[in-house]
PDB file of all heavy atoms in Angstrom:
ATOM      1  N   LEU A   1     -10.271  -6.086 -19.638  1.00 97.00           N
ATOM      2  CA  LEU A   1      -9.579  -4.963 -20.275  1.00 97.00           C
ATOM      3  C   LEU A   1      -9.825  -3.649 -19.614  1.00 97.00           C
ATOM      4  O   LEU A   1      -8.901  -2.869 -19.470  1.00 97.00           O
ATOM      5  CB  LEU A   1     -10.047  -4.833 -21.748  1.00 97.00           C
ATOM      6  CG  LEU A   1      -9.577  -5.897 -22.675  1.00 97.00           C
ATOM      7  CD1 LEU A   1     -10.169  -5.833 -24.096  1.00 97.00           C
ATOM      8  CD2 LEU A   1      -8.002  -5.865 -22.867  1.00 97.00           C
ATOM      9  N   ILE A   2     -11.093  -3.388 -19.084  1.00 96.00           N
ATOM     10  CA  ILE A   2     -11.328  -2.062 -18.493  1.00 96.00           C
ATOM     11  C   ILE A   2     -10.546  -1.816 -17.210  1.00 96.00           C
ATOM     12  O   ILE A   2     -10.296  -0.658 -16.827  1.00 96.00           O
ATOM     13  CB  ILE A   2     -12.849  -1.901 -18.173  1.00 96.00           C
ATOM     14  CG1 ILE A   2     -13.279  -2.921 -17.173  1.00 96.00           C
ATOM     15  CG2 ILE A   2     -13.656  -1.872 -19.475  1.00 96.00           C
ATOM     16  CD1 ILE A   2     -14.810  -2.708 -16.796  1.00 96.00           C
ATOM     17  N   PHE A   3     -10.071  -2.920 -16.619  1.00 97.00           N
ATOM     18  CA  PHE A   3      -9.380  -2.735 -15.324  1.00 97.00           C
ATOM     19  C   PHE A   3      -7.763  -2.664 -15.535  1.00 97.00           C
ATOM     20  O   PHE A   3      -7.102  -2.376 -14.565  1.00 97.00           O
ATOM     21  CB  PHE A   3      -9.631  -3.912 -14.389  1.00 97.00           C
ATOM     22  CG  PHE A   3     -10.992  -3.772 -13.722  1.00 97.00           C
ATOM     23  CD1 PHE A   3     -12.065  -4.453 -14.272  1.00 97.00           C
ATOM     24  CD2 PHE A   3     -11.211  -2.816 -12.759  1.00 97.00           C
ATOM     25  CE1 PHE A   3     -13.351  -4.264 -13.729  1.00 97.00           C
ATOM     26  CE2 PHE A   3     -12.446  -2.615 -12.176  1.00 97.00           C
ATOM     27  CZ  PHE A   3     -13.574  -3.337 -12.728  1.00 97.00           C
ATOM     28  N   ILE A   4      -7.299  -2.825 -16.696  1.00 98.00           N
ATOM     29  CA  ILE A   4      -5.903  -2.637 -16.989  1.00 98.00           C
ATOM     30  C   ILE A   4      -5.449  -1.202 -16.829  1.00 98.00           C
ATOM     31  O   ILE A   4      -4.568  -0.895 -16.048  1.00 98.00           O
ATOM     32  CB  ILE A   4      -5.493  -3.221 -18.409  1.00 98.00           C
ATOM     33  CG1 ILE A   4      -5.597  -4.782 -18.247  1.00 98.00           C
ATOM     34  CG2 ILE A   4      -4.077  -2.807 -18.718  1.00 98.00           C
ATOM     35  CD1 ILE A   4      -5.407  -5.436 -19.670  1.00 98.00           C
ATOM     36  N   PRO A   5      -6.147  -0.267 -17.517  1.00 98.00           N
ATOM     37  CA  PRO A   5      -5.767   1.124 -17.242  1.00 98.00           C
ATOM     38  C   PRO A   5      -6.078   1.652 -15.871  1.00 98.00           C
ATOM     39  O   PRO A   5      -5.333   2.498 -15.328  1.00 98.00           O
ATOM     40  CB  PRO A   5      -6.623   1.907 -18.298  1.00 98.00           C
ATOM     41  CG  PRO A   5      -7.730   0.997 -18.649  1.00 98.00           C
ATOM     42  CD  PRO A   5      -7.168  -0.421 -18.520  1.00 98.00           C
ATOM     43  N   LEU A   6      -7.129   1.119 -15.256  1.00 98.00           N
ATOM     44  CA  LEU A   6      -7.487   1.509 -13.903  1.00 98.00           C
ATOM     45  C   LEU A   6      -6.425   1.093 -12.851  1.00 98.00           C
ATOM     46  O   LEU A   6      -6.063   1.790 -11.938  1.00 98.00           O
ATOM     47  CB  LEU A   6      -8.821   1.010 -13.489  1.00 98.00           C
ATOM     48  CG  LEU A   6     -10.044   1.669 -14.156  1.00 98.00           C
ATOM     49  CD1 LEU A   6     -11.348   0.926 -13.825  1.00 98.00           C
ATOM     50  CD2 LEU A   6     -10.093   3.128 -13.880  1.00 98.00           C
ATOM     51  N   ALA A   7      -5.844  -0.110 -13.111  1.00 98.00           N
ATOM     52  CA  ALA A   7      -4.791  -0.657 -12.182  1.00 98.00           C
ATOM     53  C   ALA A   7      -3.569   0.229 -12.357  1.00 98.00           C
ATOM     54  O   ALA A   7      -2.862   0.565 -11.384  1.00 98.00           O
ATOM     55  CB  ALA A   7      -4.471  -2.096 -12.427  1.00 98.00           C
ATOM     56  N   LEU A   8      -3.273   0.578 -13.629  1.00 98.00           N
ATOM     57  CA  LEU A   8      -2.101   1.396 -13.899  1.00 98.00           C
ATOM     58  C   LEU A   8      -2.307   2.849 -13.179  1.00 98.00           C
ATOM     59  O   LEU A   8      -1.367   3.396 -12.712  1.00 98.00           O
ATOM     60  CB  LEU A   8      -1.832   1.555 -15.352  1.00 98.00           C
ATOM     61  CG  LEU A   8      -1.411   0.331 -16.111  1.00 98.00           C
ATOM     62  CD1 LEU A   8      -1.398   0.519 -17.595  1.00 98.00           C
ATOM     63  CD2 LEU A   8       0.042  -0.116 -15.576  1.00 98.00           C
ATOM     64  N   LEU A   9      -3.570   3.332 -13.355  1.00 98.00           N
ATOM     65  CA  LEU A   9      -3.815   4.656 -12.720  1.00 98.00           C
ATOM     66  C   LEU A   9      -3.671   4.601 -11.212  1.00 98.00           C
ATOM     67  O   LEU A   9      -3.081   5.503 -10.581  1.00 98.00           O
ATOM     68  CB  LEU A   9      -5.245   5.040 -13.065  1.00 98.00           C
ATOM     69  CG  LEU A   9      -5.782   6.352 -12.440  1.00 98.00           C
ATOM     70  CD1 LEU A   9      -4.917   7.472 -12.851  1.00 98.00           C
ATOM     71  CD2 LEU A   9      -7.238   6.602 -12.775  1.00 98.00           C
ATOM     72  N   SER A  10      -4.091   3.490 -10.602  1.00 98.00           N
ATOM     73  CA  SER A  10      -3.951   3.320  -9.106  1.00 98.00           C
ATOM     74  C   SER A  10      -2.475   3.326  -8.777  1.00 98.00           C
ATOM     75  O   SER A  10      -2.102   3.932  -7.717  1.00 98.00           O
ATOM     76  CB  SER A  10      -4.657   2.088  -8.652  1.00 98.00           C
ATOM     77  OG  SER A  10      -4.484   1.929  -7.271  1.00 98.00           O
ATOM     78  N   ALA A  11      -1.720   2.573  -9.487  1.00 98.00           N
ATOM     79  CA  ALA A  11      -0.239   2.477  -9.174  1.00 98.00           C
ATOM     80  C   ALA A  11       0.398   3.878  -9.353  1.00 98.00           C
ATOM     81  O   ALA A  11       1.213   4.285  -8.533  1.00 98.00           O
ATOM     82  CB  ALA A  11       0.419   1.468 -10.111  1.00 98.00           C
ATOM     83  N   PHE A  12       0.018   4.589 -10.420  1.00 98.00           N
ATOM     84  CA  PHE A  12       0.564   5.898 -10.646  1.00 98.00           C
ATOM     85  C   PHE A  12       0.184   6.889  -9.508  1.00 98.00           C
ATOM     86  O   PHE A  12       1.056   7.634  -8.976  1.00 98.00           O
ATOM     87  CB  PHE A  12       0.166   6.492 -11.960  1.00 98.00           C
ATOM     88  CG  PHE A  12       0.555   7.950 -12.178  1.00 98.00           C
ATOM     89  CD1 PHE A  12       1.851   8.242 -12.533  1.00 98.00           C
ATOM     90  CD2 PHE A  12      -0.381   8.933 -11.997  1.00 98.00           C
ATOM     91  CE1 PHE A  12       2.192   9.624 -12.608  1.00 98.00           C
ATOM     92  CE2 PHE A  12      -0.002  10.249 -12.109  1.00 98.00           C
ATOM     93  CZ  PHE A  12       1.278  10.623 -12.431  1.00 98.00           C
ATOM     94  N   ALA A  13      -1.087   6.813  -9.126  1.00 97.00           N
ATOM     95  CA  ALA A  13      -1.588   7.747  -8.059  1.00 97.00           C
ATOM     96  C   ALA A  13      -0.864   7.440  -6.745  1.00 97.00           C
ATOM     97  O   ALA A  13      -0.434   8.369  -6.016  1.00 97.00           O
ATOM     98  CB  ALA A  13      -3.035   7.555  -7.877  1.00 97.00           C
ATOM     99  N   ALA A  14      -0.657   6.183  -6.460  1.00 97.00           N
ATOM    100  CA  ALA A  14       0.102   5.854  -5.212  1.00 97.00           C
ATOM    101  C   ALA A  14       1.449   6.296  -5.288  1.00 97.00           C
ATOM    102  O   ALA A  14       2.016   6.821  -4.261  1.00 97.00           O
ATOM    103  CB  ALA A  14       0.021   4.322  -5.033  1.00 97.00           C
ATOM    104  N   TRP A  15       2.172   6.136  -6.424  1.00 97.00           N
ATOM    105  CA  TRP A  15       3.538   6.580  -6.588  1.00 97.00           C
ATOM    106  C   TRP A  15       3.680   8.150  -6.461  1.00 97.00           C
ATOM    107  O   TRP A  15       4.556   8.628  -5.828  1.00 97.00           O
ATOM    108  CB  TRP A  15       4.051   6.164  -8.030  1.00 97.00           C
ATOM    109  CG  TRP A  15       5.402   6.757  -8.330  1.00 97.00           C
ATOM    110  CD1 TRP A  15       6.595   6.312  -7.977  1.00 97.00           C
ATOM    111  CD2 TRP A  15       5.624   7.888  -9.216  1.00 97.00           C
ATOM    112  NE1 TRP A  15       7.642   7.116  -8.485  1.00 97.00           N
ATOM    113  CE2 TRP A  15       7.004   8.059  -9.284  1.00 97.00           C
ATOM    114  CE3 TRP A  15       4.771   8.773  -9.956  1.00 97.00           C
ATOM    115  CZ2 TRP A  15       7.594   9.130  -9.996  1.00 97.00           C
ATOM    116  CZ3 TRP A  15       5.359   9.773 -10.660  1.00 97.00           C
ATOM    117  CH2 TRP A  15       6.749   9.958 -10.731  1.00 97.00           C
ATOM    118  N   ARG A  16       2.639   8.791  -7.012  1.00 95.00           N
ATOM    119  CA  ARG A  16       2.742  10.256  -7.069  1.00 95.00           C
ATOM    120  C   ARG A  16       2.336  10.950  -5.772  1.00 95.00           C
ATOM    121  O   ARG A  16       2.901  11.921  -5.374  1.00 95.00           O
ATOM    122  CB  ARG A  16       1.869  10.778  -8.236  1.00 95.00           C
ATOM    123  CG  ARG A  16       1.813  12.355  -8.368  1.00 95.00           C
ATOM    124  CD  ARG A  16       3.201  12.869  -8.753  1.00 95.00           C
ATOM    125  NE  ARG A  16       3.193  14.329  -8.856  1.00 95.00           N
ATOM    126  CZ  ARG A  16       3.212  15.191  -7.866  1.00 95.00           C
ATOM    127  NH1 ARG A  16       3.359  14.723  -6.594  1.00 95.00           N
ATOM    128  NH2 ARG A  16       3.269  16.491  -8.063  1.00 95.00           N
ATOM    129  N   TRP A  17       1.267  10.402  -5.092  1.00 96.00           N
ATOM    130  CA  TRP A  17       0.624  11.101  -3.952  1.00 96.00           C
ATOM    131  C   TRP A  17       0.609  10.477  -2.588  1.00 96.00           C
ATOM    132  O   TRP A  17       0.243  10.995  -1.674  1.00 96.00           O
ATOM    133  CB  TRP A  17      -0.744  11.516  -4.358  1.00 96.00           C
ATOM    134  CG  TRP A  17      -0.789  12.657  -5.406  1.00 96.00           C
ATOM    135  CD1 TRP A  17      -0.367  13.900  -5.334  1.00 96.00           C
ATOM    136  CD2 TRP A  17      -1.262  12.429  -6.757  1.00 96.00           C
ATOM    137  NE1 TRP A  17      -0.593  14.561  -6.472  1.00 96.00           N
ATOM    138  CE2 TRP A  17      -1.110  13.668  -7.372  1.00 96.00           C
ATOM    139  CE3 TRP A  17      -1.820  11.362  -7.476  1.00 96.00           C
ATOM    140  CZ2 TRP A  17      -1.536  13.869  -8.750  1.00 96.00           C
ATOM    141  CZ3 TRP A  17      -2.201  11.583  -8.787  1.00 96.00           C
ATOM    142  CH2 TRP A  17      -2.071  12.849  -9.390  1.00 96.00           C
ATOM    143  N   MET A  18       0.980   9.160  -2.513  1.00 97.00           N
ATOM    144  CA  MET A  18       0.987   8.525  -1.234  1.00 97.00           C
ATOM    145  C   MET A  18       2.377   8.601  -0.585  1.00 97.00           C
ATOM    146  O   MET A  18       3.337   9.005  -1.229  1.00 97.00           O
ATOM    147  CB  MET A  18       0.560   7.011  -1.373  1.00 97.00           C
ATOM    148  CG  MET A  18      -0.974   6.952  -1.675  1.00 97.00           C
ATOM    149  SD  MET A  18      -1.581   5.278  -1.689  1.00 97.00           S
ATOM    150  CE  MET A  18      -1.559   4.898   0.059  1.00 97.00           C
ATOM    151  N   ASP A  19       2.480   8.173   0.675  1.00 96.00           N
ATOM    152  CA  ASP A  19       3.730   8.181   1.465  1.00 96.00           C
ATOM    153  C   ASP A  19       3.955   6.936   2.153  1.00 96.00           C
ATOM    154  O   ASP A  19       3.034   6.078   2.473  1.00 96.00           O
ATOM    155  CB  ASP A  19       3.637   9.281   2.488  1.00 96.00           C
ATOM    156  CG  ASP A  19       3.368  10.645   1.884  1.00 96.00           C
ATOM    157  OD1 ASP A  19       4.192  11.252   1.267  1.00 96.00           O
ATOM    158  OD2 ASP A  19       2.185  11.143   1.995  1.00 96.00           O
ATOM    159  N   ASN A  20       5.232   6.635   2.403  1.00 96.00           N
ATOM    160  CA  ASN A  20       5.734   5.612   3.335  1.00 96.00           C
ATOM    161  C   ASN A  20       6.013   6.156   4.703  1.00 96.00           C
ATOM    162  O   ASN A  20       6.431   7.297   4.733  1.00 96.00           O
ATOM    163  CB  ASN A  20       6.983   4.910   2.746  1.00 96.00           C
ATOM    164  CG  ASN A  20       6.779   4.293   1.419  1.00 96.00           C
ATOM    165  OD1 ASN A  20       5.844   3.506   1.245  1.00 96.00           O
ATOM    166  ND2 ASN A  20       7.609   4.602   0.453  1.00 96.00           N
ATOM    167  N   LEU A  21       5.818   5.417   5.739  1.00 94.00           N
ATOM    168  CA  LEU A  21       6.238   5.869   7.031  1.00 94.00           C
ATOM    169  C   LEU A  21       7.432   4.959   7.620  1.00 94.00           C
ATOM    170  O   LEU A  21       7.389   3.777   7.490  1.00 94.00           O
ATOM    171  CB  LEU A  21       5.063   5.651   8.029  1.00 94.00           C
ATOM    172  CG  LEU A  21       3.776   6.460   7.678  1.00 94.00           C
ATOM    173  CD1 LEU A  21       2.696   6.211   8.701  1.00 94.00           C
ATOM    174  CD2 LEU A  21       4.110   7.972   7.584  1.00 94.00           C
ATOM    175  N   THR A  22       8.403   5.655   8.087  1.00 91.00           N
ATOM    176  CA  THR A  22       9.518   4.951   8.690  1.00 91.00           C
ATOM    177  C   THR A  22       9.138   4.528  10.118  1.00 91.00           C
ATOM    178  O   THR A  22       8.179   4.967  10.735  1.00 91.00           O
ATOM    179  CB  THR A  22      10.823   5.811   8.705  1.00 91.00           C
ATOM    180  OG1 THR A  22      10.549   6.911   9.584  1.00 91.00           O
ATOM    181  CG2 THR A  22      11.162   6.271   7.356  1.00 91.00           C
ATOM    182  N   GLY A  23       9.936   3.554  10.621  1.00 83.00           N
ATOM    183  CA  GLY A  23       9.730   3.145  12.018  1.00 83.00           C
ATOM    184  C   GLY A  23       8.523   2.226  12.200  1.00 83.00           C
ATOM    185  O   GLY A  23       8.204   1.941  13.331  1.00 83.00           O
ATOM    186  N   ILE A  24       7.846   1.832  11.107  1.00 81.00           N
ATOM    187  CA  ILE A  24       6.706   0.909  11.196  1.00 81.00           C
ATOM    188  C   ILE A  24       7.246  -0.531  11.051  1.00 81.00           C
ATOM    189  O   ILE A  24       7.909  -0.854  10.094  1.00 81.00           O
ATOM    190  CB  ILE A  24       5.696   1.150  10.150  1.00 81.00           C
ATOM    191  CG1 ILE A  24       5.202   2.623  10.163  1.00 81.00           C
ATOM    192  CG2 ILE A  24       4.556   0.195  10.188  1.00 81.00           C
ATOM    193  CD1 ILE A  24       4.586   3.000  11.546  1.00 81.00           C
ATOM    194  N   LYS A  25       6.987  -1.311  12.116  1.00 80.00           N
ATOM    195  CA  LYS A  25       7.494  -2.664  12.126  1.00 80.00           C
ATOM    196  C   LYS A  25       6.321  -3.646  12.088  1.00 80.00           C
ATOM    197  O   LYS A  25       5.283  -3.348  12.582  1.00 80.00           O
ATOM    198  CB  LYS A  25       8.346  -2.914  13.283  1.00 80.00           C
ATOM    199  CG  LYS A  25       9.664  -2.083  13.331  1.00 80.00           C
ATOM    200  CD  LYS A  25      10.433  -2.386  14.588  1.00 80.00           C
ATOM    201  CE  LYS A  25      11.759  -1.546  14.602  1.00 80.00           C
ATOM    202  NZ  LYS A  25      12.549  -1.783  15.789  1.00 80.00           N
ATOM    203  N   ALA A  26       6.592  -4.785  11.466  1.00 78.00           N
ATOM    204  CA  ALA A  26       5.549  -5.854  11.512  1.00 78.00           C
ATOM    205  C   ALA A  26       5.332  -6.299  12.928  1.00 78.00           C
ATOM    206  O   ALA A  26       6.257  -6.667  13.594  1.00 78.00           O
ATOM    207  CB  ALA A  26       6.016  -7.014  10.624  1.00 78.00           C
ATOM    208  N   ASP A  27       4.050  -6.237  13.392  1.00 77.00           N
ATOM    209  CA  ASP A  27       3.752  -6.539  14.732  1.00 77.00           C
ATOM    210  C   ASP A  27       3.343  -7.958  14.918  1.00 77.00           C
ATOM    211  O   ASP A  27       2.187  -8.316  15.056  1.00 77.00           O
ATOM    212  CB  ASP A  27       2.645  -5.562  15.209  1.00 77.00           C
ATOM    213  CG  ASP A  27       2.538  -5.599  16.791  1.00 77.00           C
ATOM    214  OD1 ASP A  27       3.296  -6.336  17.398  1.00 77.00           O
ATOM    215  OD2 ASP A  27       1.758  -4.801  17.270  1.00 77.00           O
ATOM    216  N   TYR A  28       4.385  -8.891  14.789  1.00 86.00           N
ATOM    217  CA  TYR A  28       4.068 -10.299  14.978  1.00 86.00           C
ATOM    218  C   TYR A  28       3.599 -10.607  16.363  1.00 86.00           C
ATOM    219  O   TYR A  28       2.824 -11.537  16.604  1.00 86.00           O
ATOM    220  CB  TYR A  28       5.400 -11.138  14.680  1.00 86.00           C
ATOM    221  CG  TYR A  28       5.869 -10.975  13.292  1.00 86.00           C
ATOM    222  CD1 TYR A  28       7.009 -10.117  12.998  1.00 86.00           C
ATOM    223  CD2 TYR A  28       5.263 -11.577  12.199  1.00 86.00           C
ATOM    224  CE1 TYR A  28       7.460 -10.017  11.719  1.00 86.00           C
ATOM    225  CE2 TYR A  28       5.666 -11.381  10.923  1.00 86.00           C
ATOM    226  CZ  TYR A  28       6.807 -10.595  10.659  1.00 86.00           C
ATOM    227  OH  TYR A  28       7.325 -10.462   9.483  1.00 86.00           O
ATOM    228  N   LYS A  29       4.034  -9.772  17.369  1.00 83.00           N
ATOM    229  CA  LYS A  29       3.584 -10.011  18.769  1.00 83.00           C
ATOM    230  C   LYS A  29       2.061  -9.897  18.861  1.00 83.00           C
ATOM    231  O   LYS A  29       1.436 -10.639  19.581  1.00 83.00           O
ATOM    232  CB  LYS A  29       4.258  -9.005  19.687  1.00 83.00           C
ATOM    233  CG  LYS A  29       3.980  -9.264  21.135  1.00 83.00           C
ATOM    234  CD  LYS A  29       4.752  -8.302  22.062  1.00 83.00           C
ATOM    235  CE  LYS A  29       4.444  -8.565  23.525  1.00 83.00           C
ATOM    236  NZ  LYS A  29       5.189  -7.641  24.454  1.00 83.00           N
ATOM    237  N   SER A  30       1.484  -8.908  18.146  1.00 85.00           N
ATOM    238  CA  SER A  30       0.025  -8.805  18.294  1.00 85.00           C
ATOM    239  C   SER A  30      -0.721 -10.015  17.703  1.00 85.00           C
ATOM    240  O   SER A  30      -1.663 -10.391  18.287  1.00 85.00           O
ATOM    241  CB  SER A  30      -0.417  -7.450  17.496  1.00 85.00           C
ATOM    242  OG  SER A  30      -0.236  -7.625  16.092  1.00 85.00           O
ATOM    243  N   PHE A  31      -0.190 -10.525  16.656  1.00 88.00           N
ATOM    244  CA  PHE A  31      -0.798 -11.815  16.079  1.00 88.00           C
ATOM    245  C   PHE A  31      -0.627 -12.903  17.038  1.00 88.00           C
ATOM    246  O   PHE A  31      -1.542 -13.757  17.245  1.00 88.00           O
ATOM    247  CB  PHE A  31      -0.258 -12.094  14.731  1.00 88.00           C
ATOM    248  CG  PHE A  31      -0.918 -11.354  13.583  1.00 88.00           C
ATOM    249  CD1 PHE A  31      -0.609 -10.064  13.267  1.00 88.00           C
ATOM    250  CD2 PHE A  31      -1.845 -12.030  12.840  1.00 88.00           C
ATOM    251  CE1 PHE A  31      -1.292  -9.396  12.279  1.00 88.00           C
ATOM    252  CE2 PHE A  31      -2.513 -11.360  11.802  1.00 88.00           C
ATOM    253  CZ  PHE A  31      -2.226 -10.009  11.514  1.00 88.00           C
ATOM    254  N   ALA A  32       0.552 -13.031  17.635  1.00 89.00           N
ATOM    255  CA  ALA A  32       0.772 -14.070  18.585  1.00 89.00           C
ATOM    256  C   ALA A  32      -0.115 -13.966  19.825  1.00 89.00           C
ATOM    257  O   ALA A  32      -0.695 -14.946  20.296  1.00 89.00           O
ATOM    258  CB  ALA A  32       2.223 -14.055  19.130  1.00 89.00           C
ATOM    259  N   LEU A  33      -0.332 -12.714  20.328  1.00 86.00           N
ATOM    260  CA  LEU A  33      -1.247 -12.565  21.440  1.00 86.00           C
ATOM    261  C   LEU A  33      -2.624 -12.846  21.059  1.00 86.00           C
ATOM    262  O   LEU A  33      -3.440 -13.499  21.846  1.00 86.00           O
ATOM    263  CB  LEU A  33      -1.129 -11.051  21.832  1.00 86.00           C
ATOM    264  CG  LEU A  33       0.099 -10.584  22.624  1.00 86.00           C
ATOM    265  CD1 LEU A  33       0.165  -9.097  22.824  1.00 86.00           C
ATOM    266  CD2 LEU A  33       0.195 -11.300  24.006  1.00 86.00           C
ATOM    267  N   ALA A  34      -2.999 -12.542  19.798  1.00 90.00           N
ATOM    268  CA  ALA A  34      -4.377 -12.788  19.356  1.00 90.00           C
ATOM    269  C   ALA A  34      -4.680 -14.258  19.274  1.00 90.00           C
ATOM    270  O   ALA A  34      -5.739 -14.708  19.589  1.00 90.00           O
ATOM    271  CB  ALA A  34      -4.659 -12.009  18.098  1.00 90.00           C
ATOM    272  N   THR A  35      -3.675 -14.986  18.709  1.00 92.00           N
ATOM    273  CA  THR A  35      -3.880 -16.428  18.518  1.00 92.00           C
ATOM    274  C   THR A  35      -4.095 -17.158  19.838  1.00 92.00           C
ATOM    275  O   THR A  35      -4.819 -18.195  19.897  1.00 92.00           O
ATOM    276  CB  THR A  35      -2.807 -17.087  17.742  1.00 92.00           C
ATOM    277  OG1 THR A  35      -1.531 -16.861  18.435  1.00 92.00           O
ATOM    278  CG2 THR A  35      -2.671 -16.500  16.354  1.00 92.00           C
TER     279      THR A  35
END
């Protein structure tokens, strides 16, 4: 129960104060090189 409001708070904080970055692509090549 104590983590239900905390999870909602985290989601709200991310919605209100975080950002997305454009031009960011999944770097499958880096994983392929690493494997």
Side-chain angles (χ1 to χ4, degrees):
L1 288 174
I2 60 175
F3 285 99
I4 292 175
L6 290 174
L8 291 172
L9 176 62
S10 176
F12 171 78
W15 172 79
R16 179 65 181 82
W17 289 294
M18 290 186 72
D19 302 286
N20 299 306
L21 300 180
T22 62
I24 302 300
K25 297 180 180 179
D27 196 354
Y28 299 104
K29 185 177 181 181
S30 69
F31 274 79
L33 288 171
T35 58

